[in-house]
Amino acid sequence: MAITQTKEEWLTNAVLQLEAEFKNEGLTMPAKWRISSGFPSKGGLAVKKRTIGQCWSPEASKDGTTEIIISITQDDALIILGVIAHEMVHATGIMNHGPKFKSLATAIGLTGKMTATEEGVVFIQRTMLILERLGEFPHAALDHTIGQKKQSTRMVKVSCDHEDCGMVFRTSNKWIEESMGQMACPICEGSTTIG
């Protein structure tokens, strides 16, 4: 299947359509802006609090352009639309997640914690036609963990059972197996507790 549009075309069209839908709420882009797909500068590969979108102020750009980046770890069109809307709120000149950000974000239907907004019912209802016009997002999410060798050696805690010694050390499962689970303390040669 041939892709009929690039990611950047899809993203640019999404910005234009979101701006048209929410202009009455104040969601308007600055005169110079760009949107692209890539890795955010921080947290793009984080396991817990992954950054999936980022807005750079025009002061950071050599040509004075507001830059929005959508993470290549994402491919769900609705979520991407919500991330774009979140970053567009920043692009209006609100570069933090304070009361002004919350006011505009909630006005367009974003909900949840303001540092990681979600698409609320109002947002979804108002963007259904936008999603239909945009079609599928022409990208498959990238998973950076595929092909990486998992760590096979975990060090296990071993503690001496004698109060006078108190030795604590770590060793591999290999050494525990070879000692048949009967590891002696390297200091006092007394019994130990594994784990």
Side-chain angles (χ1 to χ4, degrees):
M1 178 179 105
I3 295 174
T4 58
Q5 64 179 335
T6 66
K7 288 185 280 188
E8 280 68 24
E9 287 171 334
W10 192 100
L11 294 167
T12 299
N13 288 331
V15 170
L16 295 172
Q17 292 186 48
L18 284 170
E19 187 175 35
E21 177 64 33
F22 295 110
K23 66 182 173 189
N24 290 338
E25 286 80 2
L27 192 68
T28 56
M29 292 296 284
K32 287 179 71 176
W33 60 271
R34 276 189 290 265
I35 186 165
S36 60
S37 176
F39 276 120
S41 65
K42 282 196 223 176
L45 298 176
V47 175
K48 290 187 180 180
K49 293 182 180 179
R50 179 171 289 179
T51 302
I52 58 176
Q54 195 169 46
C55 180
W56 289 82
S57 71
E59 290 81 21
S61 174
K62 190 174 181 179
D63 68 355
T65 301
T66 299
E67 302 272 356
I68 294 176
I69 299 169
I70 304 301
S71 175
I72 60 177
T73 63
Q74 303 301 304
D75 63 1
D76 182 289
L78 175 61
I79 291 172
I80 292 169
L81 210 57
V83 174
I84 293 170
H86 177 111
E87 301 310 331
M88 286 174 70
V89 174
H90 286 308
T92 66
I94 308 167
M95 296 311 275
N96 60 40
H97 296 99
K100 285 184 180 180
F101 180 94
K102 183 175 183 176
S103 177
L104 180 50
T106 55
I108 65 172
L110 297 177
T111 62
K113 190 175 176 185
M114 289 299 109
T115 55
T117 56
E118 297 174 5
E119 305 74 38
V121 174
V122 170
F123 183 86
I124 293 169
Q125 289 171 343
R126 290 185 66 180
T127 58
M128 283 174 48
L129 287 176
I130 293 173
L131 285 170
E132 280 182 38
R133 287 191 297 264
L134 289 170
E136 285 187 41
F137 186 57
H139 170 74
L142 297 182
D143 182 352
H144 75 286
T145 62
I146 301 299
Q148 287 184 354
K149 186 177 178 183
K150 294 196 177 181
Q151 183 177 352
S152 59
T153 305
R154 289 270 181 214
M155 301 303 277
V156 180
K157 181 179 176 182
V158 182
S159 307
C160 180
D161 293 335
H162 296 281
E163 287 181 29
D164 296 337
C165 179
M167 173 67 175
V168 176
F169 62 98
R170 295 189 181 274
T171 190
S172 68
N173 280 318
K174 176 186 173 186
W175 288 110
I176 293 171
E177 288 171 14
E178 287 186 13
S179 68
M180 293 183 276
Q182 302 295 316
M183 299 211 68
C185 174
I187 302 295
C188 70
E189 298 183 4
S191 64
T192 60
T193 302
I194 298 170

